[in-house]
């Protein structure tokens, strides 16, 4: 609890203009200061079970930490949990998750348990809306620690919010950046459309398939 209070104080200081978080693209994971967060995924998951850093904690049923292979070459990062995820405590288990599973199996030729799946925020935003900047910033140290522990070769940012908050490029449009592989610390980052977008726009599945083929070629 003391470390949560420290994190809160640091975020408040940043709102006044202080800078304390190194840009992931300009530093090695080992150079990042993660406030002595646990160095294992189970330890980190246990650590944040009672997190109250932002107001999303007030409406959650479960923290949706993430799951998958702790040594995965590929890590998917979505935006935030939806209703089904909040109920189950697992990421991507609704219709969008079923579509993501098919993409993993049919294009990457892998199983869900072969990859690691997480979100920008660990608690469900109201009405399944996209996370706002304050919420994303509160959760970012936890996501960065997950990335540091897993050490994926490729991170796939699902949707605009995921890409924007991971890179800090808050003005980016997913239609312009998707499919462009960029350096992200010791990994590569590939932005693509969120599965929820594909459910509303099935014609965009072709673009995602091309993006995943690029990822597959790099493994």
């Amino acid at each position: 609890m003391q470390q949560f209070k420290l994190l809160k104080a640091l975020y408040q200081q940043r709102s006044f203009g202080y800078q304390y978080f190194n840009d992931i693209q300009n530093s090695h994971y080992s150079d990042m200061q993660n406030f002595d967060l646990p160095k294992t995924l189970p330890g980190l998951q246990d650590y944040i079970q009672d997190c109250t850093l932002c107001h999303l904690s007030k409406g959650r049923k479960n923290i949706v930490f993430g799951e998958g292979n702790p040594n995965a070459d590929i890590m998917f990062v979505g935006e935030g949990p939806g209703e089904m995820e909040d109920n189950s405590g697992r990421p991507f288990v609704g219709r969008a998750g079923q579509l993501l599973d098919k993409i993993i199996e049919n294009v990457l030729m892998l199983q869900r348990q072969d990859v690691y799946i997480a979100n920008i925020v660990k608690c469900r935003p109201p009405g399944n809306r996209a996370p706002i900047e304050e919420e994303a910033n509160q959760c970012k140290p936890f996501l960065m620690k997950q990335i540091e522990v897993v050490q994926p070769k490729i991170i796939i940012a699902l949707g605009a919010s995921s890409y924007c908050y991971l890179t800090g490029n808050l003005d980016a449009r997913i239609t312009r950046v998707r499919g462009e592989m960029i350096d992200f610390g010791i990994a590569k980052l590939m932005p693509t459309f969120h599965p929820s977008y594909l459910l509303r726009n099935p014609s965009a599945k072709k673009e995602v398939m091309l993006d995943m083929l690029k990822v597959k070629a790099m493994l």
Side-chain angles (χ1 to χ4, degrees), residues 91-147:
F92 283 92
V93 294
R95 291 181 62 217
Q98 294 169 9
L99 180 53
L100 178 61
D101 289 349
K102 291 180 180 179
I103 292 170
I104 294 170
E105 295 171 5
N106 298 334
V107 185
L108 295 177
M109 308 303 289
L110 297 171
Q111 298 298 312
R112 181 184 173 105
Q113 60 266 27
D114 296 325
V115 304
Y116 194 84
I117 304 174
N119 280 303
I120 290 293
V121 295
K122 311 305 184 192
C123 300
R124 179 193 178 193
N128 292 354
R129 63 162 170 75
I132 61 175
E133 186 175 0
E134 177 187 358
E135 298 159 354
N137 287 339
Q138 300 283 31
C139 253
K140 191 167 186 178
F142 305 137
L143 176 60
M144 292 300 102
K145 177 58 80 170
Q146 286 177 293
I147 294 173

Side-chain angles (χ1 to χ4, degrees), residues 25-41:
Q25 296 187 74
N26 297 321
S27 63
H28 191 280
Y29 295 135
S30 62
D31 295 331
M32 295 175 59
Q33 298 299 317
N34 278 313
F35 315 107
D36 294 324
L37 292 174
K39 295 178 172 58
T40 67
L41 294 175

Side-chain angles (χ1 to χ4, degrees), residues 49-64 81-88 122-129 135:
Q49 283 304 310
D50 297 320
C51 177
T52 57
L53 281 175
C54 78
H55 62 276
L56 291 182
S57 63
K58 298 178 181 179
R60 72 169 180 245
K61 292 182 179 178
N62 290 289
I63 281 182
V64 182
E83 182 179 7
M84 294 187 67
E85 290 76 15
D86 184 37
N87 288 333
S88 67
K122 311 305 184 192
C123 300
R124 179 193 178 193
N128 292 354
R129 63 162 170 75
E135 298 159 354

Side-chain angles (χ1 to χ4, degrees), residues 29 71-75 116 146-155 184 186-188:
Y29 295 135
N71 301 301
D73 288 334
I74 298 175
M75 181 172 180
Y116 194 84
Q146 286 177 293
I147 294 173
E148 178 186 343
V149 173
V150 176
Q151 293 192 347
K153 294 179 180 177
I154 302 173
I155 300 167
F184 189 81
I186 60 175
K188 297 289 186 180

